[in-house]
Amino acid sequence: MKITWFGHSAFGLESAGRKVLVDPFLSGNPVFEGEGKGTLSEKMAAALAGVTDVVITHGHMDHIGDTLAIAEKTGATVFCNWDLGQWLADKWEKHKTGKALNLELMNAGGRVEHNGVSIRLVRADHSSGVFENGVFQTLGSANGAIISIPGAPVIYHMGDTDIFADMGLIAELHQPDIVIAPIGDRFTMGAATAALAVRRFFPRAKGVIPCHFRTFGALTGTLEEFRRELGPMAANLLHLAPHETITFPIG
């Protein structure tokens, strides 16, 4: 599997002819826009090249990101919770693109497989919604996602969340090979708590990737603290620079 970090919680996962974008907050993401080689249009073209699927963990704009524009450009299938999907479908209809929006709607505990990509939404402790026209609208519950692509390691993207004891059940049920954990603090776990979650509930993970940090000044968690708090599991830390692609397993 090829894994690319686009800053914040946005990742590209590539294997077996599928390319899954998770939480594609690209436009307006200062890490995506301001780091890495090339112009913004070149970075966007590279991120979108070959995209087949999009997974959204929850209904905040720094996770919904460019989903509709990506779906229009690429025809990608979008996986998300039911409530968020209805909101996206309404936006799509009002835009009148003339194309169909390929949606796979689901909710926590459910699994959907489409063209070889398997997505299961799991619990996350967070909020989800948008503020529009002076009204706050909730968009279902926040989730994490278990992502399986043929021939690739199983990914657990935690989404935005605090630590919770049922992460132990997620580990038991899905046995993820790679865990992507938010470390920024304020809106999610900080680095120390995220490291505790990984150590306690996912000691068999072969790869650990931090996210949801560095993007804005309010996110104070650091890679250095996360590495330190992981203890011996720091040996499995996969730190990607923005726009960097690694192949896993490494070597």
Side-chain angles (χ1 to χ4, degrees):
M1 171 179 278
K2 293 181 179 180
I3 305 171
T4 307
W5 183 46
F6 296 118
H8 208 54
S9 295
F11 287 85
L13 311 172
E14 300 178 65
S15 180
R18 312 299 295 181
K19 181 174 179 179
V20 181
L21 291 186
V22 187
D23 287 350
F25 173 44
L26 308 179
S27 299
N29 176 347
V31 174
F32 179 86
E33 293 185 348
E35 300 189 35
K37 298 179 181 179
T39 65
L40 179 56
S41 60
E42 289 170 337
K43 294 172 188 175
M44 189 68 75
L48 270 55
V51 169
T52 56
D53 305 273
V54 175
V55 177
I56 313 173
T57 60
H58 65 286
H60 284 155
M61 293 311 298
D62 59 329
H63 295 262
I64 299 169
D66 299 282
T67 293
L68 289 177
I70 293 168
E72 182 175 2
K73 184 175 180 63
T74 67
T77 299
V78 178
F79 299 80
C80 64
N81 80 58
W82 173 269
D83 309 66
L84 173 55
Q86 298 303 314
W87 182 84
L88 289 171
D90 181 64
K91 295 289 183 186
W92 184 273
E93 177 62 25
K94 290 176 179 176
H95 188 47
K96 299 292 184 183
T97 67
K99 302 178 181 179
L101 176 60
N102 300 315
L103 276 175
E104 290 287 359
L105 303 181
M106 50 200 309
N107 254 317
R111 173 183 172 274
V112 173
E113 183 173 342
H114 180 85
N115 290 336
V117 174
S118 169
I119 307 297
R120 186 184 297 275
L121 295 183
V122 295
R123 173 183 165 188
D125 282 0
H126 193 62
S127 58
S128 176
V130 294
F131 190 75
E132 290 185 315
N133 303 317
V135 178
F136 184 80
Q137 179 176 351
T138 58
L139 295 176
S141 299
N143 295 111
I146 304 294
I147 303 168
S148 300
I149 307 174
V154 176
I155 305 284
Y156 171 33
H157 190 305
M158 290 184 175
D160 282 5
T161 190
D162 188 13
I163 191 173
F164 52 91
D166 285 351
M167 285 181 175
L169 288 175
I170 292 173
E172 181 179 348
L173 287 167
H174 307 298
Q175 302 177 26
D177 300 296
I178 297 176
V179 175
I180 300 175
I183 70 167
D185 213 343
R186 184 176 286 266
F187 302 109
T188 69
M189 298 180 287
T193 304
L196 173 61
V198 171
R199 293 196 321 267
R200 177 165 297 184
F201 300 119
F202 303 97
R204 296 182 181 179
K206 302 178 180 70
V208 180
I209 303 176
C211 70
H212 209 276
F213 72 110
R214 288 185 52 200
T215 325
F216 309 108
L219 304 181
T220 56
T222 66
L223 174 66
E224 291 72 21
E225 182 184 7
F226 186 56
R227 187 195 308 274
R228 183 176 67 250
E229 295 291 336
L230 279 173
M233 284 201 71
N236 297 335
L237 180 63
L238 306 175
H239 171 54
L240 290 78
H243 301 278
E244 178 185 6
T245 299
I246 63 169
T247 300
F248 189 89
I250 297 171

